[in-house]
Amino acid sequence: MKFSNKIILLAAGSAVLGSAVTTFALQKSFGESSPISDTVITDPGVAAGYYRVNSPLDETKADFTTAAENTINGVVSIKSFVTPRYQGRNQGGYFSDPFFEYFFGSPQRSQPQQQPEQPKQQQSGLGSGVIISADGYIVTNNHVIDEAERLEVTLNDNRTFDATVVGTDSSTDLALIKIDATDLPVIPIGDSEELKVGEWVLAVGNPFGFTSTVTTGIVSAKARSISGVSHSRPMGIESYIQTDAAVNPGNSGGALVNLQGQLIGINTAIYSQTGNYAGYSFAIPTSIVKKVVGDIRQFGAVQRAVLGVSIQDLNNEVAREHNITSVSKGVYVASVADRSSALEAGIKEGDVIVKINGVNTDNVAQLQEQVAKYRPGDTVKVTYIRDNKEHSVDVKLLNTHGTTKVTKPGSIDSLGAEFAAVDDETRRLLGISGGVQVKTLSEGRLHDAGVLKGYIILSINNVKVSSPSDVEKIYRQIMKSDDDDKLLVLRGVYPSGRTKAYLVNLGEE
């Protein structure tokens, strides 16, 4: 049987409706290299044409025990829980569509329906996290906690706490959660930019539910983009540390540390044919982690700066086509966006960006990592090649909206409405099976879109809704997405029977 190579980036240990359906959240790690001795000790055998060499590793410096002991207590196990939804026989079909029911009625309405048993909350995923402050802040992967209704954190000493989500960032697949605890062991954050290929590293996490597991490997590559290799969709900002330390389901969100016991990455994905470790794994470098976590703690949302350019790696084909002869590595600017940092600074299509603040940008991943360290309003020096000559320019970074305005975390309060499930009598009169009614309306997004009090929302973006929590869940999903256009398409009916659809813009004004 043939398998295609895949990047596995899934939450592990999923259990839905009592069935043990396992999804995999996989990752890998990197490490620091130990000095190699070059001392050659000869002996009488040299005359016979052979010699003896010292062990290539200085064993006192390649000892992993100190790093393991100093970090293993700073890694936690994270379980996520959700309540399974009852699946009706026709859910997802034409007969379940609220508009179909309104105009034609439900073919099952005349038949007595057995009330389904209320589903109980069940574990849906298992991952790892890293304690970054003694008062309970923990960093993990967004895909470990995404959509969870409850999070349970277990420390290495077996104490268990419920956790709350402080903030998430889907572009980097990072999340910050908090437990109510003090005097926790903390893994100090190191500098991933000081890593060198070939250095030893340790991956610490909870693979397959086995707690406090340590594996070792070396840094195989830095600033690695993986969507191109896997032929999958881009995963937002991609500049991973690649390592060969063994990482498996449940390791997601765990620590990648150097031999000094410093955190230098958050394990996130593996390159695999089967869903289990098969040679390489990938970690988010702390250069990105520190920025994202700092923004979430200070602002509640990531303050993401962009250059405003469409880019690609400079390769031989592009260089020949555009007669670029002075450099062989860099990031080619394919286009420049309006209202962007690059446009204001005079960067043009055809330029090749080779450095950001003096740090080489040999490929797109390296450029993404460097820009991701800064906030809108920061100024960076961009070095680029134009007409085979090197130029530098100071660029004031902007956000995706072309401003330096602070991005605030999305709140459903911005809709300016209170919602309630539709009562039985109204559903009977209108011939609908669900819906969420606008009970109160004030200044906000719904009012601006023309929605009136009493409107019954039957679906949002073609997803059927039946409770206020459904509305909030869809809202959160949209606000967490990377789409520039954040829209709600509401379809519903007024108590008078008049059907109406609305388009609600959630984007920044």
Side-chain angles (χ1 to χ4, degrees), residues 98-99 102 419-423 425-439 451-460 465-466 471 490-502:
F99 283 96
Y102 177 75
F419 304 99
V422 182
D423 60 71
E425 180 64 17
T426 302
R427 284 192 283 112
R428 186 186 65 80
L429 290 174
L430 293 176
I432 57 177
S433 61
V436 176
Q437 190 166 33
V438 178
K439 283 296 187 182
V451 176
L452 302 178
K453 180 182 176 181
Y455 180 63
I456 298 171
I457 304 170
L458 298 177
S459 70
I460 301 176
V465 296
S466 58
V471 178
L490 309 182
R491 290 187 170 87
V493 60
Y494 281 97
S496 64
R498 180 171 64 97
T499 60
K500 186 71 175 178
Y502 294 97

Short mmCIF file of all heavy atoms in Angstrom, two decimals, residues 98-99 102 419-423 425-439 451-460 465-466 471 490-502:
data_model
loop_
_atom_site.label_atom_id
_atom_site.label_comp_id
_atom_site.label_asym_id
_atom_site.label_seq_id
_atom_site.Cartn_x
_atom_site.Cartn_y
_atom_site.Cartn_z
N PRO A 98 -34.11 25.45 7.18
CA PRO A 98 -35.21 26.21 7.76
C PRO A 98 -36.12 26.86 6.72
O PRO A 98 -37.32 26.97 6.94
CB PRO A 98 -34.49 27.26 8.62
CG PRO A 98 -33.08 27.30 8.12
CD PRO A 98 -32.80 25.92 7.62
N PHE A 99 -35.56 27.28 5.57
CA PHE A 99 -36.40 27.89 4.55
C PHE A 99 -37.28 26.85 3.88
O PHE A 99 -38.44 27.10 3.53
CB PHE A 99 -35.53 28.62 3.52
CG PHE A 99 -35.02 29.92 4.03
CD1 PHE A 99 -33.76 30.00 4.59
CD2 PHE A 99 -35.80 31.06 4.00
CE1 PHE A 99 -33.29 31.19 5.09
CE2 PHE A 99 -35.34 32.25 4.49
CZ PHE A 99 -34.07 32.33 5.03
N TYR A 102 -40.06 26.28 6.21
CA TYR A 102 -41.00 27.38 6.27
C TYR A 102 -41.99 27.35 5.11
O TYR A 102 -43.19 27.53 5.28
CB TYR A 102 -40.25 28.72 6.28
CG TYR A 102 -41.17 29.91 6.27
CD1 TYR A 102 -41.86 30.28 7.42
CD2 TYR A 102 -41.37 30.65 5.10
CE1 TYR A 102 -42.72 31.36 7.40
CE2 TYR A 102 -42.22 31.73 5.09
CZ TYR A 102 -42.90 32.09 6.24
OH TYR A 102 -43.76 33.15 6.22
N PHE A 419 -29.55 37.82 22.31
CA PHE A 419 -30.24 36.76 21.58
C PHE A 419 -30.91 35.79 22.54
O PHE A 419 -30.50 35.64 23.69
CB PHE A 419 -29.23 35.98 20.71
CG PHE A 419 -28.46 36.84 19.75
CD1 PHE A 419 -27.17 37.27 20.05
CD2 PHE A 419 -29.03 37.24 18.55
CE1 PHE A 419 -26.46 38.06 19.18
CE2 PHE A 419 -28.32 38.03 17.66
CZ PHE A 419 -27.04 38.45 17.98
N ALA A 420 -31.92 35.10 22.02
CA ALA A 420 -32.62 34.08 22.80
C ALA A 420 -33.14 33.01 21.83
O ALA A 420 -33.44 33.30 20.67
CB ALA A 420 -33.78 34.68 23.60
N ALA A 421 -33.22 31.79 22.34
CA ALA A 421 -33.80 30.73 21.52
C ALA A 421 -35.27 31.03 21.27
O ALA A 421 -35.95 31.65 22.09
CB ALA A 421 -33.64 29.39 22.23
N VAL A 422 -35.77 30.61 20.12
CA VAL A 422 -37.17 30.87 19.75
C VAL A 422 -38.08 29.95 20.56
O VAL A 422 -37.82 28.75 20.70
CB VAL A 422 -37.37 30.64 18.24
CG1 VAL A 422 -38.81 30.95 17.84
CG2 VAL A 422 -36.40 31.49 17.43
N ASP A 423 -39.14 30.53 21.13
CA ASP A 423 -40.04 29.72 21.96
C ASP A 423 -40.88 28.77 21.11
O ASP A 423 -41.00 28.94 19.88
CB ASP A 423 -40.96 30.62 22.80
CG ASP A 423 -41.83 31.53 21.95
OD1 ASP A 423 -42.77 31.03 21.29
OD2 ASP A 423 -41.54 32.74 21.90
N GLU A 425 -44.09 28.22 20.84
CA GLU A 425 -45.28 28.75 20.17
C GLU A 425 -44.91 29.47 18.87
O GLU A 425 -45.55 29.29 17.83
CB GLU A 425 -46.01 29.71 21.11
CG GLU A 425 -47.28 30.34 20.52
CD GLU A 425 -48.36 29.31 20.21
OE1 GLU A 425 -48.29 28.17 20.72
OE2 GLU A 425 -49.30 29.65 19.45
N THR A 426 -43.85 30.26 18.90
CA THR A 426 -43.41 30.97 17.69
C THR A 426 -42.93 29.99 16.63
O THR A 426 -43.24 30.15 15.44
CB THR A 426 -42.29 31.97 18.04
OG1 THR A 426 -42.75 32.90 19.02
CG2 THR A 426 -41.83 32.72 16.79
N ARG A 427 -42.20 28.98 17.05
CA ARG A 427 -41.74 27.98 16.09
C ARG A 427 -42.91 27.24 15.45
O ARG A 427 -42.90 26.96 14.25
CB ARG A 427 -40.79 26.99 16.79
CG ARG A 427 -39.41 27.57 17.05
CD ARG A 427 -38.39 26.52 17.46
NE ARG A 427 -38.56 26.12 18.86
CZ ARG A 427 -38.98 24.94 19.27
NH1 ARG A 427 -39.29 24.02 18.38
NH2 ARG A 427 -39.09 24.67 20.55
N ARG A 428 -43.94 26.96 16.27
CA ARG A 428 -45.12 26.27 15.72
C ARG A 428 -45.86 27.15 14.73
O ARG A 428 -46.25 26.69 13.64
CB ARG A 428 -46.05 25.87 16.87
CG ARG A 428 -47.24 25.01 16.43
CD ARG A 428 -48.18 24.77 17.56
NE ARG A 428 -48.81 25.99 18.02
CZ ARG A 428 -49.86 26.57 17.39
NH1 ARG A 428 -50.37 26.02 16.29
NH2 ARG A 428 -50.37 27.68 17.86
N LEU A 429 -46.02 28.42 15.06
CA LEU A 429 -46.76 29.33 14.17
C LEU A 429 -46.02 29.56 12.85
O LEU A 429 -46.63 29.66 11.78
CB LEU A 429 -46.99 30.67 14.88
CG LEU A 429 -47.99 30.67 16.04
CD1 LEU A 429 -48.00 32.03 16.74
CD2 LEU A 429 -49.39 30.32 15.52
N LEU A 430 -44.69 29.64 12.92
CA LEU A 430 -43.91 29.90 11.71
C LEU A 430 -43.50 28.63 10.99
O LEU A 430 -43.00 28.70 9.86
CB LEU A 430 -42.66 30.71 12.07
CG LEU A 430 -42.90 32.14 12.57
CD1 LEU A 430 -41.58 32.79 12.99
CD2 LEU A 430 -43.58 33.00 11.50
N GLY A 431 -43.67 27.49 11.64
CA GLY A 431 -43.30 26.23 10.99
C GLY A 431 -41.81 26.04 10.86
O GLY A 431 -41.32 25.52 9.86
N ILE A 432 -41.08 26.48 11.90
CA ILE A 432 -39.63 26.33 11.88
C ILE A 432 -39.21 25.44 13.04
O ILE A 432 -39.93 25.31 14.03
CB ILE A 432 -38.91 27.70 11.97
CG1 ILE A 432 -39.33 28.45 13.24
CG2 ILE A 432 -39.18 28.53 10.73
CD1 ILE A 432 -38.62 29.78 13.44
N SER A 433 -38.04 24.84 12.93
CA SER A 433 -37.59 23.90 13.96
C SER A 433 -36.56 24.49 14.91
O SER A 433 -36.20 23.85 15.89
CB SER A 433 -36.98 22.65 13.30
OG SER A 433 -35.85 23.00 12.52
N GLY A 434 -36.07 25.68 14.62
CA GLY A 434 -35.04 26.28 15.47
C GLY A 434 -35.00 27.77 15.27
O GLY A 434 -36.01 28.41 15.00
N GLY A 435 -33.80 28.32 15.38
CA GLY A 435 -33.64 29.75 15.18
C GLY A 435 -33.26 30.47 16.46
O GLY A 435 -33.46 29.97 17.57
N VAL A 436 -32.70 31.67 16.29
CA VAL A 436 -32.29 32.52 17.41
C VAL A 436 -32.89 33.90 17.17
O VAL A 436 -32.70 34.49 16.10
CB VAL A 436 -30.76 32.61 17.50
CG1 VAL A 436 -30.35 33.58 18.61
CG2 VAL A 436 -30.15 31.24 17.75
N GLN A 437 -33.61 34.42 18.17
CA GLN A 437 -34.31 35.69 17.99
C GLN A 437 -33.54 36.84 18.60
O GLN A 437 -32.93 36.71 19.66
CB GLN A 437 -35.70 35.62 18.62
CG GLN A 437 -36.59 36.81 18.27
CD GLN A 437 -38.04 36.55 18.61
OE1 GLN A 437 -38.35 35.84 19.57
NE2 GLN A 437 -38.94 37.12 17.82
N VAL A 438 -33.57 37.98 17.90
CA VAL A 438 -32.97 39.21 18.40
C VAL A 438 -33.94 39.83 19.39
O VAL A 438 -34.96 40.40 19.02
CB VAL A 438 -32.67 40.19 17.25
CG1 VAL A 438 -32.08 41.49 17.80
CG2 VAL A 438 -31.71 39.57 16.24
N LYS A 439 -33.64 39.69 20.70
CA LYS A 439 -34.54 40.15 21.75
C LYS A 439 -34.39 41.64 22.03
O LYS A 439 -35.38 42.34 22.28
CB LYS A 439 -34.29 39.35 23.02
CG LYS A 439 -34.89 37.96 23.00
CD LYS A 439 -36.41 38.02 22.91
CE LYS A 439 -37.05 36.65 23.05
NZ LYS A 439 -38.53 36.72 22.92
N VAL A 451 -30.85 45.22 10.60
CA VAL A 451 -31.62 44.23 11.34
C VAL A 451 -32.52 44.93 12.36
O VAL A 451 -32.12 45.89 13.01
CB VAL A 451 -30.68 43.23 12.06
CG1 VAL A 451 -31.48 42.25 12.91
CG2 VAL A 451 -29.82 42.50 11.04
N LEU A 452 -33.76 44.43 12.51
CA LEU A 452 -34.71 45.00 13.45
C LEU A 452 -34.96 44.04 14.61
O LEU A 452 -34.76 42.82 14.49
CB LEU A 452 -36.04 45.29 12.75
CG LEU A 452 -35.99 46.23 11.53
CD1 LEU A 452 -37.37 46.38 10.91
CD2 LEU A 452 -35.43 47.60 11.94
N LYS A 453 -35.39 44.60 15.72
CA LYS A 453 -35.70 43.79 16.89
C LYS A 453 -36.79 42.78 16.55
O LYS A 453 -37.74 43.08 15.83
CB LYS A 453 -36.18 44.71 18.02
CG LYS A 453 -36.55 43.97 19.30
CD LYS A 453 -37.04 44.95 20.35
CE LYS A 453 -37.52 44.22 21.60
NZ LYS A 453 -38.04 45.16 22.64
N GLY A 454 -36.63 41.55 17.05
CA GLY A 454 -37.60 40.49 16.80
C GLY A 454 -37.21 39.57 15.66
O GLY A 454 -37.81 38.50 15.50
N TYR A 455 -36.21 39.96 14.88
CA TYR A 455 -35.77 39.13 13.75
C TYR A 455 -35.29 37.77 14.25
O TYR A 455 -34.57 37.67 15.25
CB TYR A 455 -34.64 39.85 13.02
CG TYR A 455 -34.06 39.12 11.83
CD1 TYR A 455 -34.85 38.84 10.71
CD2 TYR A 455 -32.72 38.74 11.81
CE1 TYR A 455 -34.30 38.20 9.60
CE2 TYR A 455 -32.17 38.11 10.71
CZ TYR A 455 -32.97 37.83 9.61
OH TYR A 455 -32.42 37.19 8.52
N ILE A 456 -35.69 36.72 13.56
CA ILE A 456 -35.31 35.36 13.93
C ILE A 456 -34.25 34.86 12.94
O ILE A 456 -34.54 34.70 11.75
CB ILE A 456 -36.51 34.41 13.94
CG1 ILE A 456 -37.53 34.88 14.99
CG2 ILE A 456 -36.07 32.97 14.23
CD1 ILE A 456 -38.85 34.13 14.93
N ILE A 457 -33.05 34.66 13.44
CA ILE A 457 -31.96 34.17 12.59
C ILE A 457 -32.06 32.66 12.49
O ILE A 457 -32.03 31.96 13.50
CB ILE A 457 -30.59 34.56 13.19
CG1 ILE A 457 -30.49 36.07 13.38
CG2 ILE A 457 -29.45 34.07 12.29
CD1 ILE A 457 -29.28 36.50 14.19
N LEU A 458 -32.22 32.15 11.27
CA LEU A 458 -32.31 30.71 11.06
C LEU A 458 -30.95 30.10 10.68
O LEU A 458 -30.67 28.95 11.00
CB LEU A 458 -33.34 30.39 9.98
CG LEU A 458 -34.78 30.82 10.29
CD1 LEU A 458 -35.69 30.51 9.11
CD2 LEU A 458 -35.28 30.13 11.54
N SER A 459 -30.11 30.87 9.99
CA SER A 459 -28.78 30.38 9.64
C SER A 459 -27.81 31.54 9.51
O SER A 459 -28.21 32.67 9.18
CB SER A 459 -28.80 29.58 8.33
OG SER A 459 -29.04 30.43 7.23
N ILE A 460 -26.54 31.27 9.80
CA ILE A 460 -25.47 32.24 9.64
C ILE A 460 -24.41 31.60 8.78
O ILE A 460 -23.89 30.53 9.11
CB ILE A 460 -24.87 32.65 11.00
CG1 ILE A 460 -25.93 33.25 11.91
CG2 ILE A 460 -23.71 33.63 10.80
CD1 ILE A 460 -25.43 33.60 13.30
N VAL A 465 -28.65 27.68 13.08
CA VAL A 465 -28.46 28.06 14.48
C VAL A 465 -29.75 27.83 15.26
O VAL A 465 -30.85 27.99 14.73
CB VAL A 465 -28.02 29.53 14.62
CG1 VAL A 465 -26.65 29.74 13.99
CG2 VAL A 465 -29.04 30.48 14.00
N SER A 466 -29.60 27.46 16.53
CA SER A 466 -30.77 27.21 17.36
C SER A 466 -30.60 27.72 18.78
O SER A 466 -31.51 27.57 19.60
CB SER A 466 -31.09 25.71 17.40
OG SER A 466 -29.98 24.98 17.88
N VAL A 471 -24.59 31.24 17.79
CA VAL A 471 -24.22 32.53 17.20
C VAL A 471 -22.82 32.93 17.66
O VAL A 471 -21.98 33.35 16.86
CB VAL A 471 -25.23 33.62 17.58
CG1 VAL A 471 -24.81 34.97 17.01
CG2 VAL A 471 -26.62 33.25 17.11
N LEU A 490 -26.72 36.57 7.29
CA LEU A 490 -27.86 36.14 8.10
C LEU A 490 -29.06 35.85 7.20
O LEU A 490 -29.41 36.67 6.35
CB LEU A 490 -28.24 37.21 9.12
CG LEU A 490 -27.13 37.79 10.01
CD1 LEU A 490 -27.73 38.81 10.97
CD2 LEU A 490 -26.41 36.70 10.76
N ARG A 491 -29.68 34.70 7.40
CA ARG A 491 -30.94 34.38 6.74
C ARG A 491 -31.95 34.05 7.81
O ARG A 491 -31.64 33.29 8.75
CB ARG A 491 -30.77 33.22 5.77
CG ARG A 491 -29.97 33.58 4.53
CD ARG A 491 -29.97 32.45 3.51
NE ARG A 491 -29.41 32.86 2.24
CZ ARG A 491 -28.10 32.83 1.95
NH1 ARG A 491 -27.25 32.38 2.84
NH2 ARG A 491 -27.67 33.23 0.76
N GLY A 492 -33.14 34.63 7.69
CA GLY A 492 -34.12 34.40 8.73
C GLY A 492 -35.50 34.91 8.38
O GLY A 492 -35.82 35.16 7.20
N VAL A 493 -36.32 35.10 9.40
CA VAL A 493 -37.72 35.44 9.21
C VAL A 493 -38.17 36.30 10.38
O VAL A 493 -37.69 36.15 11.51
CB VAL A 493 -38.58 34.16 9.11
CG1 VAL A 493 -38.45 33.32 10.37
CG2 VAL A 493 -40.03 34.47 8.80
N TYR A 494 -39.07 37.24 10.10
CA TYR A 494 -39.67 38.04 11.16
C TYR A 494 -40.93 37.35 11.67
O TYR A 494 -41.51 36.50 10.98
CB TYR A 494 -40.00 39.44 10.64
CG TYR A 494 -38.78 40.35 10.59
CD1 TYR A 494 -38.07 40.51 9.40
CD2 TYR A 494 -38.35 41.02 11.72
CE1 TYR A 494 -36.95 41.32 9.35
CE2 TYR A 494 -37.23 41.84 11.67
CZ TYR A 494 -36.53 41.99 10.48
OH TYR A 494 -35.43 42.80 10.45
N PRO A 495 -41.39 37.66 12.89
CA PRO A 495 -42.60 37.03 13.43
C PRO A 495 -43.83 37.18 12.53
O PRO A 495 -44.75 36.37 12.60
CB PRO A 495 -42.80 37.75 14.77
CG PRO A 495 -41.41 38.16 15.19
CD PRO A 495 -40.73 38.52 13.90
N SER A 496 -43.82 38.20 11.66
CA SER A 496 -44.93 38.40 10.73
C SER A 496 -44.92 37.38 9.60
O SER A 496 -45.90 37.26 8.86
CB SER A 496 -44.86 39.80 10.13
OG SER A 496 -43.66 39.95 9.36
N GLY A 497 -43.82 36.65 9.46
CA GLY A 497 -43.69 35.69 8.37
C GLY A 497 -42.85 36.18 7.21
O GLY A 497 -42.58 35.43 6.27
N ARG A 498 -42.39 37.46 7.27
CA ARG A 498 -41.59 38.01 6.18
C ARG A 498 -40.16 37.50 6.28
O ARG A 498 -39.50 37.65 7.31
CB ARG A 498 -41.60 39.53 6.24
CG ARG A 498 -40.77 40.22 5.14
CD ARG A 498 -41.02 41.72 5.14
NE ARG A 498 -40.57 42.35 6.37
CZ ARG A 498 -39.40 42.96 6.51
NH1 ARG A 498 -38.56 43.02 5.49
NH2 ARG A 498 -39.08 43.53 7.65
N THR A 499 -39.68 36.87 5.22
CA THR A 499 -38.30 36.38 5.21
C THR A 499 -37.36 37.51 4.80
O THR A 499 -37.72 38.39 4.02
CB THR A 499 -38.13 35.21 4.23
OG1 THR A 499 -38.49 35.63 2.93
CG2 THR A 499 -39.00 34.03 4.66
N LYS A 500 -36.14 37.47 5.32
CA LYS A 500 -35.19 38.54 5.05
C LYS A 500 -33.78 38.01 5.26
O LYS A 500 -33.53 37.18 6.13
CB LYS A 500 -35.44 39.71 6.01
CG LYS A 500 -34.61 40.95 5.74
CD LYS A 500 -35.02 41.68 4.48
CE LYS A 500 -34.24 42.98 4.31
NZ LYS A 500 -34.59 43.69 3.08
N ALA A 501 -32.84 38.50 4.44
CA ALA A 501 -31.43 38.16 4.59
C ALA A 501 -30.64 39.45 4.78
O ALA A 501 -30.99 40.50 4.22
CB ALA A 501 -30.92 37.41 3.37
N TYR A 502 -29.56 39.39 5.55
CA TYR A 502 -28.74 40.56 5.83
C TYR A 502 -27.27 40.19 5.70
O TYR A 502 -26.86 39.05 5.99
CB TYR A 502 -28.98 41.08 7.25
CG TYR A 502 -30.36 41.63 7.50
CD1 TYR A 502 -31.33 40.83 8.09
CD2 TYR A 502 -30.68 42.94 7.16
CE1 TYR A 502 -32.61 41.32 8.34
CE2 TYR A 502 -31.95 43.45 7.40
CZ TYR A 502 -32.91 42.63 7.99
OH TYR A 502 -34.16 43.12 8.22
#
